[in-house]
Amino acid sequence: MARVRTGVRALSAVLAAVLGATALAGCSSTGGKRAEERAQRAAQGRAAVDTPRWTVAMVTHSGSGDTFWDIVQNGAKQAAVKDNIKFLYANSDEGQQQAQLVQSYIDKKVDGLIVTLAKPDAMKAVVDQAVRAGIPVITVNSGAAESKKFGALTHVGQDETIAGEAVGEELDRRGKKKALCVIHEQGNVGHEQRCAGARKTFGGQLQNLYVDGTNMPDVQASIEAKLQTDRSVDAVVTLGAPFADAAVKAKETAGSKAEIDTFDLNAKVASSLTSGALGFAVDQQPYLQGYEAVDLLWLYRYNADVLGGGRPVLTGPQIITKKDAGALEKYTERGTR
């Protein structure tokens, strides 16, 4: 009998193992299928989660016609679809008006706010008001130094000073001696930080050139006039992709041999890098800034997650040259780089 009971116990153990393996395989198959279904829903413009439909608003310092912010929005909208979030967007390049737009969303009691701090003095009070109202805030793109002090959960973007330093180092590698740093929005602390960073590491001479970024013909004329009067300028650095094209045209009409370089990437910049019209670009991955900001607010609402540990979540800088541009062109054409 002892041998029979031992045999029964052995058989039972085998059956249990088989049934357990079958159950695990079923769970694994189901889990894999569910993950695949979530991915398909997101790709089809449907939410990949079943959390409440929270509302998130983004308010930036963008002026009209700045394609950089189109890419930021593309990332934010994609994350919003995935996370079952209603996404709202507003912008103004005037600090007080930007603050008023933020106030309007506070009054609407949105579930989360994404703001830029290009003009932090104008934004401080309203960000503080949002935080005191219990609305989680994430800053993007500009204002890394002020983000934590103002009460934001985290900052997503590049460190503008570090990005500028990378530009100065790249100019040195290219043997440049005299450069213009074209600032298209006066009062934007991030722009000043970029040029100051470049000046810090650049072995040559770097001069700021202030232009009216809302008037592209004026931008081109200002750069052209400077290149005509100072033939020793051998590099022009613009702080946004739309202004790089104006600088290229200014170089041609001025008969200058200066290299044109730029911050930010889009389809036109990628094409110009490939053709040699531009020397290099500094990519801060705007799609990622928008996507991560929305996704992090969802994570905070859903699971009280905070990324960064009190430090900015960096999306750049990355120096893009002719050898890199070809691989990125397909992404720039679809509006994600």
Side-chain angles (χ1 to χ4, degrees), residues 166-177 202 234-235 259-261 273 276 278-281 319-324:
V167 167
E169 291 166 356
E170 184 67 20
L171 291 173
D172 274 344
R173 277 193 289 269
R174 291 165 176 267
K176 303 305 177 184
K177 301 301 181 185
F202 181 39
D234 56 7
E259 177 181 280
I260 309 300
D261 307 304
L273 287 169
L278 293 177
F280 67 88
I319 300 293
I320 305 295
T321 63
K322 182 176 183 177
K323 66 181 180 62
D324 310 304

PDB file of all heavy atoms in Angstrom, residues 166-177 202 234-235 259-261 273 276 278-281 319-324:
ATOM      1  N   ALA A 166      27.410  73.041 -25.571  1.00  0.00           N
ATOM      2  CA  ALA A 166      27.641  72.062 -26.635  1.00  0.00           C
ATOM      3  C   ALA A 166      27.838  72.756 -27.984  1.00  0.00           C
ATOM      4  O   ALA A 166      28.658  72.323 -28.809  1.00  0.00           O
ATOM      5  CB  ALA A 166      26.476  71.079 -26.716  1.00  0.00           C
ATOM      6  N   VAL A 167      27.108  73.852 -28.188  1.00  0.00           N
ATOM      7  CA  VAL A 167      27.252  74.616 -29.435  1.00  0.00           C
ATOM      8  C   VAL A 167      28.633  75.256 -29.499  1.00  0.00           C
ATOM      9  O   VAL A 167      29.310  75.220 -30.542  1.00  0.00           O
ATOM     10  CB  VAL A 167      26.148  75.690 -29.539  1.00  0.00           C
ATOM     11  CG1 VAL A 167      26.468  76.689 -30.652  1.00  0.00           C
ATOM     12  CG2 VAL A 167      24.804  75.035 -29.798  1.00  0.00           C
ATOM     13  N   GLY A 168      29.079  75.866 -28.412  1.00  0.00           N
ATOM     14  CA  GLY A 168      30.408  76.480 -28.390  1.00  0.00           C
ATOM     15  C   GLY A 168      31.501  75.481 -28.685  1.00  0.00           C
ATOM     16  O   GLY A 168      32.448  75.770 -29.439  1.00  0.00           O
ATOM     17  N   GLU A 169      31.380  74.290 -28.109  1.00  0.00           N
ATOM     18  CA  GLU A 169      32.369  73.236 -28.351  1.00  0.00           C
ATOM     19  C   GLU A 169      32.352  72.787 -29.811  1.00  0.00           C
ATOM     20  O   GLU A 169      33.407  72.543 -30.412  1.00  0.00           O
ATOM     21  CB  GLU A 169      32.090  72.057 -27.423  1.00  0.00           C
ATOM     22  CG  GLU A 169      32.373  72.374 -25.958  1.00  0.00           C
ATOM     23  CD  GLU A 169      31.786  71.338 -25.008  1.00  0.00           C
ATOM     24  OE1 GLU A 169      31.091  70.413 -25.502  1.00  0.00           O
ATOM     25  OE2 GLU A 169      32.017  71.448 -23.788  1.00  0.00           O
ATOM     26  N   GLU A 170      31.145  72.696 -30.389  1.00  0.00           N
ATOM     27  CA  GLU A 170      31.034  72.274 -31.793  1.00  0.00           C
ATOM     28  C   GLU A 170      31.617  73.330 -32.729  1.00  0.00           C
ATOM     29  O   GLU A 170      32.275  73.006 -33.726  1.00  0.00           O
ATOM     30  CB  GLU A 170      29.579  71.988 -32.146  1.00  0.00           C
ATOM     31  CG  GLU A 170      29.347  71.446 -33.550  1.00  0.00           C
ATOM     32  CD  GLU A 170      29.924  70.062 -33.774  1.00  0.00           C
ATOM     33  OE1 GLU A 170      30.176  69.334 -32.778  1.00  0.00           O
ATOM     34  OE2 GLU A 170      30.129  69.685 -34.949  1.00  0.00           O
ATOM     35  N   LEU A 171      31.389  74.594 -32.430  1.00  0.00           N
ATOM     36  CA  LEU A 171      31.969  75.673 -33.239  1.00  0.00           C
ATOM     37  C   LEU A 171      33.498  75.606 -33.199  1.00  0.00           C
ATOM     38  O   LEU A 171      34.164  75.822 -34.218  1.00  0.00           O
ATOM     39  CB  LEU A 171      31.487  77.034 -32.735  1.00  0.00           C
ATOM     40  CG  LEU A 171      30.009  77.365 -32.967  1.00  0.00           C
ATOM     41  CD1 LEU A 171      29.636  78.668 -32.260  1.00  0.00           C
ATOM     42  CD2 LEU A 171      29.683  77.465 -34.459  1.00  0.00           C
ATOM     43  N   ASP A 172      34.043  75.317 -32.025  1.00  0.00           N
ATOM     44  CA  ASP A 172      35.497  75.168 -31.910  1.00  0.00           C
ATOM     45  C   ASP A 172      36.002  74.013 -32.761  1.00  0.00           C
ATOM     46  O   ASP A 172      37.032  74.122 -33.448  1.00  0.00           O
ATOM     47  CB  ASP A 172      35.886  74.929 -30.445  1.00  0.00           C
ATOM     48  CG  ASP A 172      36.068  76.231 -29.671  1.00  0.00           C
ATOM     49  OD1 ASP A 172      36.185  77.294 -30.321  1.00  0.00           O
ATOM     50  OD2 ASP A 172      36.088  76.184 -28.426  1.00  0.00           O
ATOM     51  N   ARG A 173      35.290  72.888 -32.721  1.00  0.00           N
ATOM     52  CA  ARG A 173      35.701  71.721 -33.515  1.00  0.00           C
ATOM     53  C   ARG A 173      35.710  72.038 -35.009  1.00  0.00           C
ATOM     54  O   ARG A 173      36.493  71.461 -35.770  1.00  0.00           O
ATOM     55  CB  ARG A 173      34.767  70.535 -33.241  1.00  0.00           C
ATOM     56  CG  ARG A 173      35.125  69.738 -31.994  1.00  0.00           C
ATOM     57  CD  ARG A 173      34.390  68.421 -31.950  1.00  0.00           C
ATOM     58  NE  ARG A 173      32.974  68.597 -31.679  1.00  0.00           N
ATOM     59  CZ  ARG A 173      32.439  68.600 -30.465  1.00  0.00           C
ATOM     60  NH1 ARG A 173      33.214  68.460 -29.409  1.00  0.00           N
ATOM     61  NH2 ARG A 173      31.143  68.754 -30.304  1.00  0.00           N
ATOM     62  N   ARG A 174      34.857  72.967 -35.395  1.00  0.00           N
ATOM     63  CA  ARG A 174      34.756  73.338 -36.804  1.00  0.00           C
ATOM     64  C   ARG A 174      35.695  74.482 -37.173  1.00  0.00           C
ATOM     65  O   ARG A 174      35.675  74.964 -38.306  1.00  0.00           O
ATOM     66  CB  ARG A 174      33.305  73.714 -37.135  1.00  0.00           C
ATOM     67  CG  ARG A 174      32.364  72.511 -37.085  1.00  0.00           C
ATOM     68  CD  ARG A 174      30.897  72.904 -37.053  1.00  0.00           C
ATOM     69  NE  ARG A 174      30.079  71.705 -37.097  1.00  0.00           N
ATOM     70  CZ  ARG A 174      29.583  71.157 -38.209  1.00  0.00           C
ATOM     71  NH1 ARG A 174      29.806  71.736 -39.389  1.00  0.00           N
ATOM     72  NH2 ARG A 174      28.862  70.059 -38.174  1.00  0.00           N
ATOM     73  N   GLY A 175      36.459  74.936 -36.209  1.00  0.00           N
ATOM     74  CA  GLY A 175      37.460  75.954 -36.480  1.00  0.00           C
ATOM     75  C   GLY A 175      36.913  77.349 -36.660  1.00  0.00           C
ATOM     76  O   GLY A 175      37.571  78.212 -37.264  1.00  0.00           O
ATOM     77  N   LYS A 176      35.729  77.632 -36.122  1.00  0.00           N
ATOM     78  CA  LYS A 176      35.123  78.950 -36.274  1.00  0.00           C
ATOM     79  C   LYS A 176      35.766  79.951 -35.317  1.00  0.00           C
ATOM     80  O   LYS A 176      36.235  79.593 -34.226  1.00  0.00           O
ATOM     81  CB  LYS A 176      33.614  78.884 -36.030  1.00  0.00           C
ATOM     82  CG  LYS A 176      32.892  77.890 -36.942  1.00  0.00           C
ATOM     83  CD  LYS A 176      33.166  78.153 -38.409  1.00  0.00           C
ATOM     84  CE  LYS A 176      32.519  77.134 -39.315  1.00  0.00           C
ATOM     85  NZ  LYS A 176      32.872  77.347 -40.742  1.00  0.00           N
ATOM     86  N   LYS A 177      35.768  81.214 -35.742  1.00  0.00           N
ATOM     87  CA  LYS A 177      36.444  82.254 -34.958  1.00  0.00           C
ATOM     88  C   LYS A 177      35.506  83.369 -34.490  1.00  0.00           C
ATOM     89  O   LYS A 177      35.735  83.986 -33.454  1.00  0.00           O
ATOM     90  CB  LYS A 177      37.572  82.883 -35.795  1.00  0.00           C
ATOM     91  CG  LYS A 177      38.626  81.874 -36.252  1.00  0.00           C
ATOM     92  CD  LYS A 177      39.287  81.164 -35.072  1.00  0.00           C
ATOM     93  CE  LYS A 177      40.356  80.176 -35.542  1.00  0.00           C
ATOM     94  NZ  LYS A 177      40.926  79.403 -34.401  1.00  0.00           N
ATOM     95  N   PHE A 202      33.074  78.605 -26.292  1.00  0.00           N
ATOM     96  CA  PHE A 202      33.600  78.938 -27.615  1.00  0.00           C
ATOM     97  C   PHE A 202      34.913  79.698 -27.481  1.00  0.00           C
ATOM     98  O   PHE A 202      34.990  80.714 -26.782  1.00  0.00           O
ATOM     99  CB  PHE A 202      32.566  79.765 -28.372  1.00  0.00           C
ATOM    100  CG  PHE A 202      32.965  80.160 -29.762  1.00  0.00           C
ATOM    101  CD1 PHE A 202      33.649  79.282 -30.602  1.00  0.00           C
ATOM    102  CD2 PHE A 202      32.642  81.415 -30.255  1.00  0.00           C
ATOM    103  CE1 PHE A 202      33.992  79.653 -31.894  1.00  0.00           C
ATOM    104  CE2 PHE A 202      32.979  81.792 -31.534  1.00  0.00           C
ATOM    105  CZ  PHE A 202      33.669  80.909 -32.361  1.00  0.00           C
ATOM    106  N   ASP A 234      32.044  84.079 -39.306  1.00  0.00           N
ATOM    107  CA  ASP A 234      32.114  82.817 -40.043  1.00  0.00           C
ATOM    108  C   ASP A 234      31.110  81.770 -39.540  1.00  0.00           C
ATOM    109  O   ASP A 234      31.119  80.620 -39.976  1.00  0.00           O
ATOM    110  CB  ASP A 234      33.530  82.233 -40.007  1.00  0.00           C
ATOM    111  CG  ASP A 234      34.069  82.030 -38.602  1.00  0.00           C
ATOM    112  OD1 ASP A 234      33.303  82.215 -37.630  1.00  0.00           O
ATOM    113  OD2 ASP A 234      35.265  81.696 -38.466  1.00  0.00           O
ATOM    114  N   ALA A 235      30.217  82.170 -38.628  1.00  0.00           N
ATOM    115  CA  ALA A 235      29.159  81.263 -38.162  1.00  0.00           C
ATOM    116  C   ALA A 235      27.974  82.074 -37.658  1.00  0.00           C
ATOM    117  O   ALA A 235      28.149  83.098 -36.981  1.00  0.00           O
ATOM    118  CB  ALA A 235      29.668  80.332 -37.074  1.00  0.00           C
ATOM    119  N   GLU A 259      29.002  79.858 -41.943  1.00  0.00           N
ATOM    120  CA  GLU A 259      28.224  78.621 -41.763  1.00  0.00           C
ATOM    121  C   GLU A 259      26.979  78.946 -40.943  1.00  0.00           C
ATOM    122  O   GLU A 259      27.048  79.683 -39.969  1.00  0.00           O
ATOM    123  CB  GLU A 259      29.064  77.573 -41.037  1.00  0.00           C
ATOM    124  CG  GLU A 259      28.316  76.277 -40.741  1.00  0.00           C
ATOM    125  CD  GLU A 259      29.180  75.271 -40.002  1.00  0.00           C
ATOM    126  OE1 GLU A 259      29.988  74.594 -40.664  1.00  0.00           O
ATOM    127  OE2 GLU A 259      29.053  75.202 -38.754  1.00  0.00           O
ATOM    128  N   ILE A 260      25.845  78.379 -41.352  1.00  0.00           N
ATOM    129  CA  ILE A 260      24.600  78.575 -40.614  1.00  0.00           C
ATOM    130  C   ILE A 260      24.318  77.316 -39.794  1.00  0.00           C
ATOM    131  O   ILE A 260      24.277  76.210 -40.335  1.00  0.00           O
ATOM    132  CB  ILE A 260      23.410  78.857 -41.553  1.00  0.00           C
ATOM    133  CG1 ILE A 260      23.746  79.995 -42.534  1.00  0.00           C
ATOM    134  CG2 ILE A 260      22.163  79.186 -40.735  1.00  0.00           C
ATOM    135  CD1 ILE A 260      24.077  81.314 -41.879  1.00  0.00           C
ATOM    136  N   ASP A 261      24.114  77.513 -38.509  1.00  0.00           N
ATOM    137  CA  ASP A 261      23.794  76.411 -37.594  1.00  0.00           C
ATOM    138  C   ASP A 261      22.547  76.798 -36.816  1.00  0.00           C
ATOM    139  O   ASP A 261      22.186  77.975 -36.752  1.00  0.00           O
ATOM    140  CB  ASP A 261      24.960  76.159 -36.630  1.00  0.00           C
ATOM    141  CG  ASP A 261      26.282  75.945 -37.376  1.00  0.00           C
ATOM    142  OD1 ASP A 261      26.335  75.057 -38.233  1.00  0.00           O
ATOM    143  OD2 ASP A 261      27.245  76.702 -37.107  1.00  0.00           O
ATOM    144  N   LEU A 273      20.483  70.110 -43.703  1.00  0.00           N
ATOM    145  CA  LEU A 273      21.687  69.441 -43.214  1.00  0.00           C
ATOM    146  C   LEU A 273      22.215  68.481 -44.270  1.00  0.00           C
ATOM    147  O   LEU A 273      23.422  68.415 -44.528  1.00  0.00           O
ATOM    148  CB  LEU A 273      21.390  68.682 -41.921  1.00  0.00           C
ATOM    149  CG  LEU A 273      21.186  69.517 -40.651  1.00  0.00           C
ATOM    150  CD1 LEU A 273      20.632  68.653 -39.529  1.00  0.00           C
ATOM    151  CD2 LEU A 273      22.482  70.182 -40.220  1.00  0.00           C
ATOM    152  N   GLY A 276      23.843  70.360 -47.065  1.00  0.00           N
ATOM    153  CA  GLY A 276      25.011  71.140 -46.682  1.00  0.00           C
ATOM    154  C   GLY A 276      24.715  72.612 -46.457  1.00  0.00           C
ATOM    155  O   GLY A 276      25.622  73.392 -46.148  1.00  0.00           O
ATOM    156  N   LEU A 278      23.089  73.791 -44.035  1.00  0.00           N
ATOM    157  CA  LEU A 278      23.310  73.993 -42.608  1.00  0.00           C
ATOM    158  C   LEU A 278      24.464  73.122 -42.147  1.00  0.00           C
ATOM    159  O   LEU A 278      24.651  72.007 -42.647  1.00  0.00           O
ATOM    160  CB  LEU A 278      22.055  73.632 -41.796  1.00  0.00           C
ATOM    161  CG  LEU A 278      20.817  74.519 -41.969  1.00  0.00           C
ATOM    162  CD1 LEU A 278      19.662  73.966 -41.135  1.00  0.00           C
ATOM    163  CD2 LEU A 278      21.106  75.967 -41.595  1.00  0.00           C
ATOM    164  N   GLY A 279      25.202  73.617 -41.156  1.00  0.00           N
ATOM    165  CA  GLY A 279      26.331  72.854 -40.630  1.00  0.00           C
ATOM    166  C   GLY A 279      25.924  71.818 -39.609  1.00  0.00           C
ATOM    167  O   GLY A 279      26.261  70.642 -39.723  1.00  0.00           O
ATOM    168  N   PHE A 280      25.175  72.249 -38.593  1.00  0.00           N
ATOM    169  CA  PHE A 280      24.698  71.314 -37.571  1.00  0.00           C
ATOM    170  C   PHE A 280      23.448  71.878 -36.911  1.00  0.00           C
ATOM    171  O   PHE A 280      23.154  73.073 -37.015  1.00  0.00           O
ATOM    172  CB  PHE A 280      25.769  71.007 -36.519  1.00  0.00           C
ATOM    173  CG  PHE A 280      26.152  72.167 -35.640  1.00  0.00           C
ATOM    174  CD1 PHE A 280      25.457  72.427 -34.456  1.00  0.00           C
ATOM    175  CD2 PHE A 280      27.225  72.993 -35.968  1.00  0.00           C
ATOM    176  CE1 PHE A 280      25.821  73.495 -33.639  1.00  0.00           C
ATOM    177  CE2 PHE A 280      27.589  74.057 -35.148  1.00  0.00           C
ATOM    178  CZ  PHE A 280      26.883  74.307 -33.986  1.00  0.00           C
ATOM    179  N   ALA A 281      22.715  71.011 -36.236  1.00  0.00           N
ATOM    180  CA  ALA A 281      21.535  71.416 -35.485  1.00  0.00           C
ATOM    181  C   ALA A 281      21.602  70.804 -34.096  1.00  0.00           C
ATOM    182  O   ALA A 281      22.216  69.760 -33.885  1.00  0.00           O
ATOM    183  CB  ALA A 281      20.258  70.964 -36.203  1.00  0.00           C
ATOM    184  N   ILE A 319      23.718  66.903 -30.819  1.00  0.00           N
ATOM    185  CA  ILE A 319      24.213  67.576 -32.028  1.00  0.00           C
ATOM    186  C   ILE A 319      23.925  66.691 -33.239  1.00  0.00           C
ATOM    187  O   ILE A 319      24.355  65.540 -33.303  1.00  0.00           O
ATOM    188  CB  ILE A 319      25.729  67.863 -31.933  1.00  0.00           C
ATOM    189  CG1 ILE A 319      26.035  68.777 -30.728  1.00  0.00           C
ATOM    190  CG2 ILE A 319      26.242  68.483 -33.227  1.00  0.00           C
ATOM    191  CD1 ILE A 319      25.491  70.174 -30.862  1.00  0.00           C
ATOM    192  N   ILE A 320      23.186  67.254 -34.200  1.00  0.00           N
ATOM    193  CA  ILE A 320      22.827  66.534 -35.425  1.00  0.00           C
ATOM    194  C   ILE A 320      23.593  67.141 -36.595  1.00  0.00           C
ATOM    195  O   ILE A 320      23.558  68.357 -36.808  1.00  0.00           O
ATOM    196  CB  ILE A 320      21.316  66.635 -35.708  1.00  0.00           C
ATOM    197  CG1 ILE A 320      20.498  66.156 -34.501  1.00  0.00           C
ATOM    198  CG2 ILE A 320      20.954  65.837 -36.958  1.00  0.00           C
ATOM    199  CD1 ILE A 320      20.661  64.713 -34.169  1.00  0.00           C
ATOM    200  N   THR A 321      24.294  66.311 -37.348  1.00  0.00           N
ATOM    201  CA  THR A 321      25.059  66.774 -38.512  1.00  0.00           C
ATOM    202  C   THR A 321      24.549  66.083 -39.783  1.00  0.00           C
ATOM    203  O   THR A 321      23.591  65.310 -39.742  1.00  0.00           O
ATOM    204  CB  THR A 321      26.554  66.481 -38.328  1.00  0.00           C
ATOM    205  OG1 THR A 321      26.747  65.065 -38.247  1.00  0.00           O
ATOM    206  CG2 THR A 321      27.089  67.140 -37.052  1.00  0.00           C
ATOM    207  N   LYS A 322      25.232  66.354 -40.878  1.00  0.00           N
ATOM    208  CA  LYS A 322      24.829  65.786 -42.166  1.00  0.00           C
ATOM    209  C   LYS A 322      24.767  64.264 -42.122  1.00  0.00           C
ATOM    210  O   LYS A 322      23.850  63.653 -42.684  1.00  0.00           O
ATOM    211  CB  LYS A 322      25.817  66.239 -43.250  1.00  0.00           C
ATOM    212  CG  LYS A 322      25.483  65.750 -44.652  1.00  0.00           C
ATOM    213  CD  LYS A 322      26.460  66.329 -45.657  1.00  0.00           C
ATOM    214  CE  LYS A 322      26.093  65.897 -47.083  1.00  0.00           C
ATOM    215  NZ  LYS A 322      26.998  66.514 -48.094  1.00  0.00           N
ATOM    216  N   LYS A 323      25.694  63.645 -41.423  1.00  0.00           N
ATOM    217  CA  LYS A 323      25.735  62.176 -41.385  1.00  0.00           C
ATOM    218  C   LYS A 323      24.559  61.584 -40.601  1.00  0.00           C
ATOM    219  O   LYS A 323      24.203  60.418 -40.785  1.00  0.00           O
ATOM    220  CB  LYS A 323      27.050  61.693 -40.792  1.00  0.00           C
ATOM    221  CG  LYS A 323      27.271  62.023 -39.331  1.00  0.00           C
ATOM    222  CD  LYS A 323      28.630  61.516 -38.846  1.00  0.00           C
ATOM    223  CE  LYS A 323      28.877  61.841 -37.385  1.00  0.00           C
ATOM    224  NZ  LYS A 323      27.910  61.207 -36.493  1.00  0.00           N
ATOM    225  N   ASP A 324      23.942  62.380 -39.727  1.00  0.00           N
ATOM    226  CA  ASP A 324      22.809  61.908 -38.927  1.00  0.00           C
ATOM    227  C   ASP A 324      21.462  62.198 -39.588  1.00  0.00           C
ATOM    228  O   ASP A 324      20.474  61.502 -39.335  1.00  0.00           O
ATOM    229  CB  ASP A 324      22.794  62.582 -37.549  1.00  0.00           C
ATOM    230  CG  ASP A 324      24.133  62.513 -36.842  1.00  0.00           C
ATOM    231  OD1 ASP A 324      24.638  61.390 -36.665  1.00  0.00           O
ATOM    232  OD2 ASP A 324      24.663  63.575 -36.472  1.00  0.00           O
TER     233      ASP A 324
END
